[in-house]
Amino acid sequence: MAVTIKDVAKLSGVSISTVSRVINDSKPVSPEVKRKVLEVIEEIGYKPNEIARTLVTKKSYLIGVIVTDLADSYVADMVRGIEEIGKMYNYDILLCSSYGDKEAELKYIQLLNRKQVEGMILISSTLDDEVDKKVSEYDIPFVYLSRYSKSEKYPTVSIDYHFAAYEMTKYLISLGHKKIGYVGYLEDENSTQYEKLNGYKRAMNEMELDSSYIFKTKGLNIREGYSALNSSLTENGVTALLCSSDKIAIGALNYCYDNNIKTPEDISIVGFGDIQIASLIRPKLTTVKEPFYDIGAVAIRKIIKELSKEPSEEKHIKLPYQIQKRDSSRKL
């Protein structure tokens, strides 16, 4: 027979409401009574009914996390940051993978709300209008994490993409490169991709260098990075490429390999992100290191602060990044 709260109360010699106060830490109880109740709970192995407890305390200690695909190493790193910091504050994670399907995101947001999560984090390339509308219906803390699109409406955690691209371009210029191209996905002007493009242009214009060597991709993967390049790369004498993501940079590396363009001897190629494969390919990729673990950790800490009524940081948090210098770039 299952042990109940009535059994704990009877053996402790106190009321059921007193046991409830001890379990939920909701109202003051004398140290002697609290110690006696906890001893009985330990002795008879009582486990509180979590559903009933949530209804009473309005606290589930659950944070919902919706991701695109855990197979992406940067997503896995963000989730690790979310999970480890959550554990420090006794929060568990309910994790859902949408695989980029907006209908799945919508379904999971509704599911997580039914599970009474106290906060929600969405890791997704774009914030769909219907998803936005549904999130707005729920009065719980929400953080949006994306490497590709921006949100003024919801709290975000990221790096300063404009300045990171600016600094990376300045680094290439310091190596003696003057004809530097940019490779990226430029379909949405209100995106981090354009922030990077503008950072590149700013650095080039400051040095009065030509910033018109733009190679547009049709997507964000390796294949698109490969397809974006053409014979004008060598015809224009471009000696370096700033790519808007590591995957696009790997596509560029493959294109150069297939066309007998040596990296970094003939052309330096740099990326963005420092995903796990960036240091495993050859040549090892010079890139902007985004702190994915820290982004996840700060996101859940922001939610926990809001739940605890603690003073929070600014709405859009920018974390430090690093220029990771490796073998795919060299001095002319």
Side-chain angles (χ1 to χ4, degrees):
M1 182 183 296
V3 179
T4 69
I5 193 171
K6 289 182 182 179
D7 299 322
V8 177
K10 184 177 179 180
L11 291 171
S12 303
V14 298
S15 67
I16 291 174
S17 60
T18 299
V19 176
S20 177
R21 289 172 191 169
V22 172
I23 293 170
N24 298 313
D25 199 22
S26 54
K27 292 183 180 179
V29 177
S30 71
E32 294 81 10
V33 170
K34 185 173 184 179
R35 183 171 61 253
K36 177 62 177 175
V37 170
L38 291 176
E39 285 175 354
V40 171
I41 288 173
E42 179 70 23
E43 183 180 335
I44 67 176
Y46 171 67
K47 301 291 183 183
N49 184 314
E50 290 298 332
I51 296 175
R53 186 176 178 182
T54 297
L55 291 172
V56 172
T57 64
K58 306 299 182 186
K59 287 193 71 66
S60 65
Y61 287 95
L62 294 173
I63 302 294
V65 182
I66 303 173
V67 306
T68 48
D69 188 354
L70 278 172
D72 277 329
S73 63
Y74 83 90
V75 174
D77 286 343
M78 286 184 183
V79 170
R80 191 163 56 87
I82 292 168
E83 189 173 31
E84 291 186 5
I85 299 302
K87 285 179 180 177
M88 288 173 58
Y89 292 90
N90 297 316
Y91 278 87
D92 290 319
I93 305 304
L94 289 183
L95 182 64
C96 308
S97 294
S98 69
Y99 299 101
D101 182 352
K102 299 308 167 187
E103 288 299 320
E105 287 183 358
L106 196 61
K107 181 187 77 173
Y108 286 134
I109 286 170
Q110 294 169 316
L111 172 66
L112 291 172
N113 183 62
R114 291 198 300 272
K115 295 293 184 181
Q116 296 185 307
V117 297
E118 294 186 49
M120 208 176 296
I121 299 170
L122 173 63
I123 304 175
S124 181
S125 297
T126 57
L127 185 60
D128 181 76
D129 289 340
E130 285 189 58
V131 172
D132 178 5
K133 184 179 179 182
K134 183 57 65 176
V135 168
S136 300
E137 293 176 7
Y138 304 138
D139 186 24
I140 60 173
F142 176 82
V143 176
Y144 175 55
L145 301 180
S146 177
R147 298 180 64 204
Y148 306 110
S149 61
K150 299 185 293 183
S151 172
E152 294 302 322
K153 182 177 180 181
Y154 297 110
T156 60
V157 185
S158 63
I159 66 170
D160 188 329
Y161 289 106
H162 174 97
F163 201 70
Y166 170 82
E167 284 203 325
M168 180 59 92
T169 308
K170 294 283 281 187
Y171 169 66
L172 290 173
I173 293 171
S174 74
L175 294 178
H177 296 281
K178 295 182 178 179
K179 290 191 174 183
I180 303 170
Y182 178 86
V183 191
Y185 181 62
L186 301 172
E187 292 297 311
D188 181 7
E189 291 190 15
N190 185 35
S191 71
T192 61
Q193 302 292 293
Y194 264 88
E195 288 185 353
K196 296 172 188 177
L197 174 65
N198 292 332
Y200 154 79
K201 286 184 174 181
R202 175 184 164 193
M204 296 293 281
N205 293 340
E206 281 183 0
M207 301 303 294
E208 298 183 348
L209 299 175
D210 189 350
S211 61
S212 66
Y213 305 116
I214 310 295
F215 300 89
K216 296 182 180 180
T217 70
K218 295 180 180 179
L220 299 160
N221 57 35
I222 293 173
R223 187 190 305 273
E224 299 301 337
Y226 188 106
S227 301
L229 301 183
N230 51 54
S231 60
S232 66
L233 183 67
T234 51
E235 290 169 1
N236 291 325
V238 172
T239 62
L241 289 175
L242 168 60
C243 301
S244 66
S245 76
D246 286 347
K247 287 186 177 180
I248 288 174
I250 292 168
L253 283 170
N254 289 345
Y255 174 88
C256 290
Y257 179 85
D258 288 346
N259 288 274
N260 298 314
I261 305 170
K262 294 181 180 179
T263 305
E265 292 82 358
D266 299 327
I267 190 166
S268 290
I269 296 176
V270 302
F272 235 98
D274 198 25
I275 60 176
Q276 289 180 6
I277 196 173
S279 61
L280 301 177
I281 59 171
R282 295 295 183 271
K284 295 180 181 179
L285 188 63
T286 296
T287 187
V288 175
K289 183 178 181 62
E290 297 181 52
F292 299 125
Y293 176 95
D294 293 344
I295 287 171
V298 171
I300 192 170
R301 185 69 184 99
K302 187 174 182 64
I303 286 177
I304 293 170
K305 278 188 174 183
E306 187 172 342
L307 293 170
S308 304
K309 310 299 182 185
E310 294 180 39
S312 185
E313 307 90 344
E314 62 273 18
K315 187 174 183 179
H316 303 292
I317 301 173
K318 302 292 186 186
L319 298 184
Y321 58 85
Q322 295 176 320
I323 303 295
Q324 200 74 279
K325 301 172 185 177
R326 297 197 182 104
D327 301 338
S328 68
S329 59
R330 76 176 185 99
K331 193 169 185 177
L332 283 181

